[in-house]
Amino acid sequence: MANLRLINITKFFGTVPAVSDVNLEVTDGEFIVLVGPSGCGKSTLLRLIAGLETDHAGEIIIDGNNINHVPPKNRDIAMVFQNYALYPHMTVYQNMAFGLKMRKISKEEIDNRVLEAAKILKLQDLLNRKSKALSGGQQQRVALGRAIVRKPKLFLFDEPLSNLDAKLRVAMRGELIKLHKKLGTTMIYVTHDQVEAMSMGDRLVVLHEGKVQQIGKPLGIYEHPANLFVAGFIGSPPMNLFHCKIRKDAQRFTIVTDDFELTLPDTFLQVIKSSNLPDNRVILGVRPEDIHEMRPEICPPLKQQISARIEYIEPLGSEVFATCTSGKHEFIVRFSAKTDIHPDQKIKLVIDMERSCFFHPTKENELTMNNNESGDLS
């Protein structure tokens, strides 16, 4: 197991920054997920940690030791790649044992390690089978076994499930979570699939254009994205965003668009009042599950209601996503599959404003009590 620190890591490919000023601390035994769109620098960062990419600025420190100039083979790191990289002419046992043989480890120790890993991954009955005769899921487990037998300080995973079908990916996510609990080894996992990231990581590191956008626990990032990029990337479907203005009405503040008005909850009053909002503009962020159909038994004030039209629906078994419009605004609402809705239906909706987020219209960061600037609403 290992502690890892990345200090001001920057890597250029030509004149293009692939990774820019990344700082991260991973504690012993933690499962960290690097997540972001293709080309955001997450695989480059993983390869820098492994030593497969060099010529970078900043420091990579494992257990207090700077490993910038340590060769990959001496870093005590095991990496599982997207394509598994198994030797097709070798058996499962030979693939798992190959790296240990290269390190001149005794045959008895190799046998013990391979059999132990095979038991963990349920590969005992496949040890004599050639890797080319295995299914994708079995090959993935062999690649994991080859990493496990090394007993490294740190595991690195570079999108290891991307070649599997949807059902097998879900199953293997569970297997990797159980494997982490069993081994207790520090793991860093790269994926562009934010659903995969949310379900696996102790903490997420959200990357965009080589820069860290937010680090935190999955639920914390989901409920309070640091900026508009995170709000749009984390969550499936993503957070709905409405460009609004803040207006003061007597003793209350109101959120105004061209198509509807919403009363600002008291819980956000101080945040909004003390934020320096140009022309009183703000961006309202609402998750699809926080918009509800108005029911007769719950009749909120007029300024919490939205009149909308359902454009189309996406049934997904236990739930339905409905794309709705209110004037020029288009947004997604999550309904239970038992809800009777259909395209072209006119509907009254209510936004749970207490669970909403607000973002600065130009800086694009979330407005919180921690990052407010002085300013007054006119």
Side-chain angles (χ1 to χ4, degrees), residues 251-253 264-275 369 377:
Q251 300 302 314
R252 302 199 63 83
F253 286 89
L264 181 71
D266 291 341
T267 49
F268 289 103
L269 189 58
Q270 188 58 41
V271 173
I272 293 296
K273 287 178 67 176
S274 60
S275 297
M369 293 302 294
L377 290 170

Side-chain angles (χ1 to χ4, degrees), residues 134-151:
L134 302 178
S135 68
Q138 290 168 336
Q139 289 186 43
Q140 198 262 0
R141 281 188 283 154
V142 175
L144 286 173
R146 185 175 56 188
I148 289 171
V149 297
R150 291 180 53 189
K151 296 186 176 180

Side-chain angles (χ1 to χ4, degrees), residues 58-91:
E59 297 179 80
I60 301 173
I61 298 173
I62 294 182
D63 290 338
N65 299 312
N66 186 311
I67 62 166
N68 281 16
H69 303 293
V70 176
K73 65 178 182 178
N74 296 332
R75 294 191 179 194
D76 200 9
I77 292 173
M79 189 164 178
V80 179
F81 297 91
Q82 181 177 343
N83 62 3
Y84 312 140
L86 301 178
Y87 296 105
H89 63 286
M90 291 186 181
T91 64

Side-chain angles (χ1 to χ4, degrees), residues 244-247 276-282 361-362 376-378:
C244 313
K245 275 199 169 187
I246 303 293
R247 185 179 70 202
N276 188 17
L277 300 174
D279 298 323
N280 296 341
R281 291 182 292 118
V282 72
T362 56
D376 295 307
L377 290 170
S378 56

Side-chain angles (χ1 to χ4, degrees), residues 16-131:
V16 178
V19 175
S20 182
D21 198 28
V22 171
N23 291 276
L24 174 64
E25 185 161 354
V26 183
T27 60
D28 197 6
E30 195 172 15
F31 195 129
I32 290 288
V33 177
L34 307 181
V35 62
S38 296
C40 71
K42 53 191 184 296
S43 290
T44 298
L45 191 58
L46 206 70
R47 291 173 64 84
L48 287 168
I49 296 168
L52 302 178
E53 294 285 354
T54 55
D55 300 323
H56 63 86
E59 297 179 80
I60 301 173
I61 298 173
I62 294 182
D63 290 338
N65 299 312
N66 186 311
I67 62 166
N68 281 16
H69 303 293
V70 176
K73 65 178 182 178
N74 296 332
R75 294 191 179 194
D76 200 9
I77 292 173
M79 189 164 178
V80 179
F81 297 91
Q82 181 177 343
N83 62 3
Y84 312 140
L86 301 178
Y87 296 105
H89 63 286
M90 291 186 181
T91 64
V92 169
Y93 179 97
Q94 290 168 336
N95 267 284
M96 291 171 66
F98 183 77
L100 301 180
K101 288 182 178 178
M102 294 297 98
R103 289 170 173 77
K104 310 296 184 184
I105 293 174
S106 69
K107 187 177 185 308
E108 181 181 2
E109 178 66 14
I110 291 174
D111 281 341
N112 289 337
R113 292 196 191 186
V114 171
L115 292 175
E116 180 184 5
K119 184 177 180 181
I120 292 172
L121 297 167
K122 299 180 176 61
L123 292 171
Q124 303 98 311
D125 298 334
L126 302 176
L127 289 174
N128 293 320
R129 188 180 297 184
K130 294 287 181 67
S131 63

Side-chain angles (χ1 to χ4, degrees), residues 36 58 60 75 101 142 161 172 179 200 251 254 285-286 316 324 326 348-349:
I60 301 173
R75 294 191 179 194
K101 288 182 178 178
V142 175
L161 307 184
M172 290 310 303
L179 180 64
M200 295 180 71
Q251 300 302 314
T254 304
V286 187
L316 295 173
C324 304
S326 178
K348 290 282 188 180
L349 299 170

